[in-house]
Amino acid sequence: MKYLVRDKIFAIGEDYWIEDEQGRHAFLVDGKALRLRDTLELKDPDGKVLITLRQKMFSLRDAMTVERDERPLATIRRKRLSLLRNHFRVTLVDGTELDVSGRILDREFTVEYEGELLAHISRQWFHVRETYAVNVVREDADAALLVAVAVCVIRMAERERGDD
């Protein structure tokens, strides 16, 4: 299933819809303004919070936490010692690790678990420059988590580059 994201610099307090392939609203990204730390909520079309992304306050390296139902689900960090491409690691609370790698700022990257492709993020499917897709490859994958990971690593890479 592909989810379409209208690309923009993600500013605090900015809300936008992510659509499915049929153009229906699938997720709302709700940027929370006036918070001490960077916070985003991924909501379903009815407004229910599915995933909360928060910047970690006291971390040596830039990191964001992923929460579901106000409980920690994962931590996202830039992978150390990665020279050629952008790499992020998503560490779930159960110890499972997802690898995010590719050209993050170009919106051309993948999310994998033990070498198995879970999602492919790309602009190549669109002629409109400001749009990219999060293609969730596995039907049993957590689409909300994978969309949240894509949004989060792009935000972290842009902040690191100084776009925020």
Side-chain angles (χ1 to χ4, degrees):
M1 169 70 83
K2 284 186 185 136
Y3 297 94
L4 294 91
V5 182
R6 306 280 183 245
D7 201 14
K8 51 182 97 173
I9 295 174
F10 304 112
I12 303 276
E14 185 173 302
D15 302 344
Y16 58 93
W17 283 100
I18 295 174
E19 301 172 346
D20 66 15
E21 291 176 282
Q22 289 75 40
R24 295 181 303 239
H25 290 168
F27 304 106
L28 174 67
V29 178
D30 185 359
K32 296 298 182 184
L34 304 174
R35 298 273 173 110
L36 186 58
R37 57 188 174 162
D38 194 1
T39 303
L40 298 170
E41 291 178 342
L42 187 70
K43 298 178 177 180
D44 70 10
D46 295 324
K48 179 182 182 234
V49 176
L50 303 172
I51 302 276
T52 302
L53 300 165
R54 296 183 204 281
Q55 181 179 12
K56 278 192 105 164
M57 289 293 288
F58 304 106
S59 178
L60 295 177
R61 292 182 295 149
D62 192 20
M64 290 193 76
T65 59
V66 180
E67 299 172 4
R68 176 174 279 146
D69 299 325
E70 299 183 17
R71 290 191 309 265
L73 179 62
T75 301
I76 302 174
R77 286 189 173 89
R78 176 173 292 285
K79 192 173 174 183
R80 286 191 221 180
L81 305 175
S82 179
L83 302 174
L84 300 177
R85 301 185 335 171
N86 292 315
H87 286 269
F88 287 83
R89 173 156 292 140
V90 180
T91 305
L92 300 174
V93 292
D94 68 2
T96 302
E97 292 184 343
L98 306 180
D99 186 52
V100 180
S101 63
R103 297 183 323 271
I104 307 294
L105 293 172
D106 292 335
R107 310 317 190 247
E108 295 293 336
F109 60 96
T110 60
V111 181
E112 297 179 344
Y113 169 68
E114 293 185 349
E116 181 182 353
L117 182 65
L118 298 178
H120 181 217
I121 292 74
S122 180
R123 278 193 174 140
Q124 74 181 7
W125 295 300
F126 302 101
H127 298 293
V128 179
R129 177 168 160 59
E130 289 79 29
T131 302
Y132 67 92
V134 177
N135 185 16
V136 178
V137 176
R138 286 191 45 166
E139 288 186 29
D140 63 340
D142 185 341
L145 175 62
L146 293 172
V147 167
V149 165
V151 167
C152 186
V153 297
I154 289 169
R155 184 174 186 85
M156 291 172 73
E158 286 179 340
R159 188 172 48 232
E160 191 173 275
R161 186 176 70 178
D163 287 355
D164 226 18

